Amino acid sequence: MRRLCLLLVLALPFADSPRAFAAEKAEKKDAGTIAVFPLDRPVTEAPAGEDILFGSVGNETFQDLVTRMKKAGQDDEVKAVVLLPGAATLGYAQIEEMRRIMAEVQKAGKPIHVHADALSMRDYVLVSGADSISVVPEGILMVYGLRSEAPYLRGLLDLIGVTPDFMTCGDYKSAGEMFMLDGPSKQSEEMDNWLLDSLFETSVNLIAEGREVSPEKARRWIDDGLYTAARAKETGIIDTVQFRQDFVNDLKAKYGKDVEFDRKYGKKKRDEVDLSSPFGLLKLWAEILQGPSKKKSAKTAVAIIYVDGAILPGKPAPSPFGSSGIAYSEPIRKALDKAAADDSIKAVVLRVDSPGGSATASEIILDATRRVKAKKPLVVSMGNVAGSGGYYVGCASDTIFAGTATITASIGVVSGKFATTGMWNKIGITWHTNDRGANSGLFSSRNVFSEAERRQMRALMDEIYGDFKGHVVAIRGDRLKKDIDELAGGRVFTGKQALELGLVDKIGGLDDAIAHVAEEAKIDDYEIRVLPKPKTFLDMLLADLGGGDDDEETGTLSLSSAWGPRTASLFRAAMPYLEGLDPERVRAIEAAFQRLSLIEKEGVILAMPPIEIRD
């Protein structure tokens, strides 16, 4: 009772002044708004269900981010836009798309201002398109270019007594090299360099265009690399050195002392709950207990279906640690079939950000896209990566959009296994095996492939590789600028290179793909609808127990759940040698094991090598 009285007392000062509060709010609204975009949280491709219990509240999809920014450009009350670079790490294809949206906002008469504590190369490529850039005193700019890194694990495998045996179709299909060699092959080195050349050229051009300098000058800036804020200002890389409060005061002097800084501009009401307030927490808890609205929209829509992460067959199991990282074929197939059957959905965009994976799962998704295409327009929008299986799933589309910095193609297959007898011998354990059937030990970890087994595997790989190339030739036809064998073989290209070769059709981002497919469907008033609907862990658990709608499963889950048990065991055996080492590089080694652990389950996969572009 005392707590209730206290709450009432706290509320009394506001009870008799709603008009004054409303008048003050209206006055501030008349003063205009500066839309502030703090880039301080992870930006994902596919949406995930918000789960307050397991920490996924507040993350934002890339599509939501660019939609909010476009809205700011069209809003008469918005006087300017502020970007605050932080922990959000965008890929280079996403940065390129953001730059196009920034240009649209500026064209609408809304200047863009940036303030940062520090800037990396990736940050600077993005913010160099702003009207002004300010950095705090003693802030550091690390604008020193790009590098690619790929781990080679042969020495580690020798150390733990494991012998790798991997095969590929195509001299440039280098996904197995990391296990077989201690450095890149000639073809892999050549491919890495043409990719890096293209990405670096795109970055230089974006900086030069944004800062209105020549590409040569932008290259000199990058070659010098490290700057304090003061030196960066002297050089022309940034405009102002100032603390945040001075930055805010300058904006107030420019746009009016009563201008409102809206850090949640354009966010949905659910995102605007004040978690610092007990009333806000109660409101959020009430929404969680009530659950999401089951009402299905009948409004004309363009559907976005995400293939986000490694492509695997089947569907995810419920997990409280669900996150983006796996594109399961079953929920994606169901989403495509649902989009094909729903008359309110007039067109579909398949958004792909995937290094590939299962050949079977890729074929299932490709087949489902054909059923959509038979009924309504479908286009593909490639994100940062759409290679191997990630290219496979979208190649039936009439129009493929990619960013100039998208990494794509990698038309080829890979297979292999680890022989672990040497590892067991190191600890004094031997195994006795009896076989029945000429190929019973095909994927045994006892030995590398025999010549007969190798012939069997090569025949299977050649068949799948032939199907992959056949799909591309049948669909792309005379759009291909070279013979398929000159484009395939595992060769990886940037979007810019892929456009020149006829592997994609247009340079553009997700927003461009949506506009294009809406025009194809002859609609101009439509909503964007994401399928399948994102779910929380509780939603997934209820669906698994029979209490939910199985047709709307989410397709995202922690990648660790997809590890094959043998590969996971090998990685654990290697961990003692990795403990205490550079965590960024250890994660790259873990990703190498993860990406190819699918071979343990399927034998042959469509996967890219794990090329890491770093700045």
Side-chain angles (χ1 to χ4, degrees):
M1 186 65 182
R2 288 180 180 177
R3 290 180 183 175
L4 178 60
C5 291
L6 178 60
L7 288 174
L8 289 172
V9 169
L10 289 172
L12 281 175
F14 301 97
D16 58 356
S17 58
R19 290 181 182 176
F21 178 75
E24 183 182 351
K25 188 174 181 180
E27 185 179 341
K28 285 188 176 182
K29 186 176 180 182
D30 291 341
T33 298
I34 292 177
V36 182
F37 292 84
L39 303 177
D40 57 355
R41 295 197 180 190
V43 177
T44 63
E45 272 290 346
E50 291 205 342
D51 198 328
I52 191 172
L53 297 177
F54 299 101
S56 61
V57 174
N59 291 353
E60 184 171 34
T61 68
F62 181 67
Q63 174 60 14
D64 285 343
L65 175 61
V66 297
T67 298
R68 292 197 298 119
M69 188 166 288
K70 284 190 73 174
K71 180 181 177 182
Q74 298 161 0
D75 188 341
D76 291 338
E77 291 186 7
V78 171
K79 292 188 172 185
V81 168
V82 167
L83 296 181
L84 304 175
T89 302
L90 300 175
Y92 278 92
Q94 292 172 325
I95 288 170
E96 182 188 0
E97 187 167 352
M98 278 281 284
R99 284 289 299 268
R100 283 196 292 272
I101 302 300
M102 289 166 63
E104 288 182 23
V105 172
Q106 290 165 319
K107 190 176 179 181
K110 313 296 171 66
I112 298 176
H113 305 282
V114 170
H115 189 263
D117 295 337
L119 290 172
S120 67
M121 174 72 179
R122 198 177 299 245
D123 292 331
Y124 189 67
V125 174
L126 173 64
V127 305
S128 60
D131 293 273
S132 71
I133 306 172
S134 68
V135 176
V136 299
E138 302 306 323
I140 304 297
L141 286 80
M142 295 181 286
V143 189
Y144 44 53
L146 308 178
R147 72 185 190 278
S148 66
E149 284 192 345
Y152 288 83
L153 280 64
R154 184 58 191 262
L156 173 65
L157 295 175
D158 289 344
L159 196 63
I160 63 175
V162 172
T163 304
D165 193 4
F166 285 82
M167 294 176 282
T168 62
C169 286
D171 291 339
Y172 291 84
K173 192 67 176 177
S174 56
E177 283 187 6
M178 72 186 85
F179 298 115
M180 298 294 291
L181 305 176
D182 58 9
S185 65
K186 178 182 176 183
Q187 292 87 350
S188 180
E189 179 75 5
E190 180 188 358
M191 185 170 67
D192 286 351
N193 278 300
W194 80 49
L195 282 174
L196 209 56
D197 285 344
S198 183
L199 290 172
F200 186 61
E201 181 185 10
T202 296
S203 299
V204 168
N205 290 339
L206 286 172
I207 291 171
E209 177 187 318
R211 297 301 291 175
E212 297 181 346
V213 299
S214 68
E216 292 73 25
K217 186 168 187 177
R219 283 177 184 269
R220 288 197 297 272
W221 285 350
I222 294 168
D223 287 341
D224 282 347
L226 286 173
Y227 300 86
T228 61
R231 183 164 168 259
K233 180 180 181 298
E234 289 174 7
T235 313
I237 292 175
I238 65 172
D239 302 290
T240 312
V241 179
Q242 60 187 167
F243 290 106
R244 179 67 57 84
Q245 62 269 28
D246 300 316
F247 172 72
V248 171
N249 289 336
D250 281 355
L251 291 180
K252 285 184 176 180
K254 185 178 180 67
Y255 298 106
K257 63 181 179 64
D258 292 324
V259 71
E260 180 186 358
F261 290 83
D262 188 351
R263 292 176 61 91
K264 298 179 180 179
Y265 180 84
K267 286 196 172 184
K268 298 169 187 174
K269 288 185 179 179
R270 174 69 177 269
D271 297 329
E272 295 175 354
V273 174
D274 181 7
L275 297 181
S276 66
S277 159
F279 296 104
L281 287 170
L282 286 172
K283 180 182 176 183
L284 181 58
W285 185 246
E287 289 181 11
I288 292 170
L289 292 177
Q290 182 180 358
S293 172
K294 298 294 183 181
K295 185 179 179 181
K296 295 182 180 179
S297 173
K299 186 178 178 181
T300 297
V302 171
I304 302 177
I305 296 170
Y306 288 90
V307 180
D308 182 25
I311 299 170
L312 267 66
K315 64 181 182 179
S319 168
F321 307 108
S323 64
S324 62
I326 294 187
Y328 282 97
S329 61
E330 189 65 9
I332 295 171
R333 177 194 65 76
K334 287 181 177 181
L336 287 162
D337 286 344
K338 184 173 182 177
D342 190 334
D343 290 336
S344 69
I345 294 175
K346 303 301 182 184
V348 176
V349 175
L350 189 72
R351 174 71 169 184
V352 181
D353 197 339
S354 171
S358 162
T360 302
S362 298
E363 180 66 32
I364 289 169
I365 295 170
L366 175 66
D367 180 63
T369 67
R370 290 194 181 103
R371 290 194 293 276
V372 175
K373 185 179 162 186
K375 291 186 174 183
K376 56 194 69 174
L378 176 141
V379 304
V380 165
S381 170
M382 292 180 169
N384 296 314
V385 177
S388 207
Y391 185 81
Y392 193 109
V393 297
C395 67
S397 165
D398 286 325
T399 307
I400 299 176
F401 284 80
T404 59
T406 296
I407 295 176
T408 187
S410 190
I411 300 168
V413 301
V414 61
S415 181
K417 67 174 181 177
F418 295 113
T420 61
T421 297
M423 180 177 68
W424 292 107
N425 289 343
K426 284 190 172 189
I427 57 174
I429 296 176
T430 59
W431 296 87
H432 175 72
T433 306
N434 293 308
D435 293 299
R436 296 296 183 274
N439 293 296
S440 64
L442 189 65
F443 278 99
S444 166
S445 63
R446 178 180 51 190
N447 296 311
V448 299
F449 294 112
S450 68
E451 285 306 310
E453 291 169 341
R454 197 175 298 278
R455 285 193 297 272
Q456 290 270 37
M457 286 304 305
R458 178 61 66 185
L460 176 63
M461 292 169 66
D462 286 344
E463 183 177 350
I464 294 173
Y465 182 43
D467 289 342
F468 195 167
K469 291 191 293 183
H471 286 320
V472 176
V473 170
I475 294 159
R476 303 295 301 172
D478 58 9
R479 285 178 285 181
L480 299 176
K481 306 304 181 186
K482 292 184 178 181
D483 182 80
I484 186 62
D485 287 320
E486 296 181 66
L487 301 173
R491 293 172 176 85
V492 181
F493 304 105
T494 62
K496 179 182 177 182
Q497 294 165 333
L499 178 68
E500 294 167 355
L501 296 169
L503 291 166
V504 304
D505 301 290
K506 292 179 181 290
I507 294 297
L510 179 55
D511 212 50
D512 298 303
I514 293 169
H516 177 87
V517 80
E519 185 177 346
E520 289 285 303
K522 297 180 173 58
I523 56 175
D524 52 21
D525 181 20
Y526 55 89
E527 67 179 12
I528 304 300
R529 197 177 304 165
V530 174
L531 296 177
K533 184 179 179 181
K535 287 191 174 184
T536 65
F537 167 57
L538 183 59
D539 294 329
M540 294 177 70
L541 185 61
L542 289 173
D544 200 57
L545 296 173
D549 182 3
D550 191 53
D551 287 338
E552 291 191 346
E553 295 162 291
T554 182
T556 57
L557 190 66
S558 171
L559 190 57
S560 60
S561 67
W563 278 57
R566 188 178 296 159
T567 309
S569 177
L570 290 178
F571 183 71
R572 284 194 293 270
M575 277 305 297
Y577 299 96
L578 302 174
E579 287 179 0
L581 302 181
D582 175 3
E584 190 174 67
R585 288 186 165 180
V586 171
R587 283 194 295 271
I589 293 168
E590 182 180 7
F593 276 99
Q594 286 175 329
R595 192 164 297 179
L596 292 179
S597 69
L598 183 58
I599 292 177
E600 184 181 333
K601 297 180 178 180
E602 298 211 355
V604 177
I605 64 170
L606 312 175
M608 287 177 55
I611 301 169
E612 296 285 339
I613 303 297
R614 306 196 189 281
D615 41 50

